[in-house]
Structures are given as structure tokens and as C-alpha cells.
Amino acid sequence: MNEGHLRHLASPEWARQIEEELVPWLESLGDLGDDLLEVGPGPGLTTELLRRHFARVTAVELDEDLATALADRLDGTNVEVIHADATDTGLPTDSFSAVTCLTMLHHVPTPELQDRLLVEAHRVLRPGGLLIGIDSVETEALRAAHVDDIFVPIDPATFGGRLEAAGFGDVTIDLVGHRAKFTAKKPVPSSGS
């Protein structure tokens, strides 16, 4: 992440924006269980918000410095921070009641790696668990804000198919300005399986 982008993600303005946009949306989704995996928390403002709504939060962060700083800041809370690659977390299968990817997929360098991350999210979710995400779509302004940074925005027209290919069902995608909000459920195996 470039320095300007990182500063924005640690700013009071970003904290206010996620509080005003994310909390009402999460609450509208109903009971999300007690054990959340947050993928790519960055500086952790989303983690601060999420930990107030879940009994346990596990945050997986690829950047070692960001992971260490967040782990130190949230030591002794209901958050465990793991320095790992979200495409291969090493976490147990069927562990989490919900998984979030909040404005981080566009920082994954290729659509293929994004798809691997979606497959891993599906693997660690409990049957019936929900993947919840918000991510950027292509705009000139967002591309300019990501100079010297990775910017691989999702395409709302094809993203649903990618979620289904990762094993998810009940996919919803809503375009809100320059962001796509999405949910997808890990199916519960039928009793005959």
C-alpha cells in the first residue's frame, strides 16, 4: 500500500466512514455468529469496529509490520492477529461463523490470487457461514489514488460467478457508488450427502 493510502486507512475520516456505512449494513445481515475471520485488516480500524460486534475476531494480515503493530495494539482483547497469506491461512476448516474482506481485495495482485483467497475463505467458514465484503470497482479517481500501489478492482458483473466458482451460494452484490457490497453463503450439506 502506498503511504498516502495507508494514512487514509488510519485516519479519523476513514473510521467515521466505516462506522456510518459498515455498522448499519452488518446489523442488517442478522446474526453472524460469534467467531469472525477478518482478511486484510491493514492498520486495523475495521478490526476495532468488528471486535465490538463479535465475541472473537481473528485478523489475518500479510504485511508483517502491520500485523505486528495491530497485534501489539489489541493484545489482551478478543482479537487474535495472525501474520499469514490469506490465500493459505493454515487455519482449520469449518472454523468461522463469518469472514470479512473489507476494501482489501483490490490490493491482491491478480484475479487468480483473489480467487484463491475466496476459496480459502470458503474452506475456513462453517457450513451456513457468510462471507461479507466491500470492495472497490474501477474508477479513474481510485486508480489515481493507488499510484505506486496494487489496484486490481473487482468487476461486479463477473464477481458473482467467481464467488460461485469458489463454492459459495446465495450470492448478493450491490453496487453503491464506487464500491460493491457482497455477501455469499457457504452451503450447508444436505443430510443425504
Side-chain angles (χ1 to χ4, degrees):
M1 229 181 287
N2 68 37
E3 284 302 312
H5 195 66
L6 193 56
R7 274 194 308 276
H8 172 69
L9 294 179
S11 72
E13 294 79 19
W14 177 243
R16 187 171 40 259
Q17 186 176 355
I18 60 174
E19 182 76 35
E20 291 170 358
E21 292 180 21
L22 186 59
V23 171
W25 184 47
L26 285 176
E27 290 173 348
S28 77
L29 297 174
D31 183 10
L32 298 173
D34 60 355
D35 205 352
L36 173 77
L37 174 64
E38 181 185 20
V39 177
L45 290 183
T46 51
T47 313
E48 291 281 0
L49 182 144
L50 293 167
R51 74 183 198 89
R52 298 192 309 251
H53 295 272
F54 291 87
R56 287 177 304 283
V57 174
T58 302
V60 173
E61 175 56 53
L62 180 62
D63 183 284
E64 185 174 10
D65 292 339
L66 290 173
T68 299
L70 186 59
D72 289 347
R73 192 170 86 235
L74 296 178
D75 186 39
T77 70
N78 62 332
V79 176
E80 178 183 6
V81 180
I82 299 171
H83 172 234
D85 183 336
T87 67
D88 185 17
T89 64
L91 294 166
T93 299
D94 300 337
S95 311
F96 297 94
S97 59
V99 173
T100 60
C101 298
L102 304 173
T103 67
M104 59 72 56
L105 276 175
H106 65 275
H107 289 291
V108 177
T110 67
E112 294 77 20
L113 286 173
Q114 291 174 351
D115 290 345
R116 283 180 44 197
L117 186 151
L118 297 174
V119 167
E120 180 69 353
H122 181 274
R123 184 187 70 77
V124 301
L125 262 175
R126 296 174 192 155
L130 202 61
L131 172 67
I132 305 154
I134 302 173
D135 219 289
S136 301
V137 298
E138 180 73 50
T139 70
E140 200 172 299
L142 283 175
R143 184 150 304 276
H146 288 81
V147 170
D148 297 326
D149 198 354
I150 294 169
F151 184 62
V152 182
I154 63 171
D155 179 353
T158 60
F159 193 63
R162 293 171 63 194
L163 288 164
E164 290 169 354
F168 289 101
D170 297 330
V171 172
T172 64
I173 300 173
D174 296 311
L175 194 55
V176 182
H178 64 275
R179 290 195 181 104
K181 289 182 174 181
F182 59 91
T183 61
K185 186 175 281 191
K186 181 174 182 173
V188 176
S190 63
S191 58
S193 299

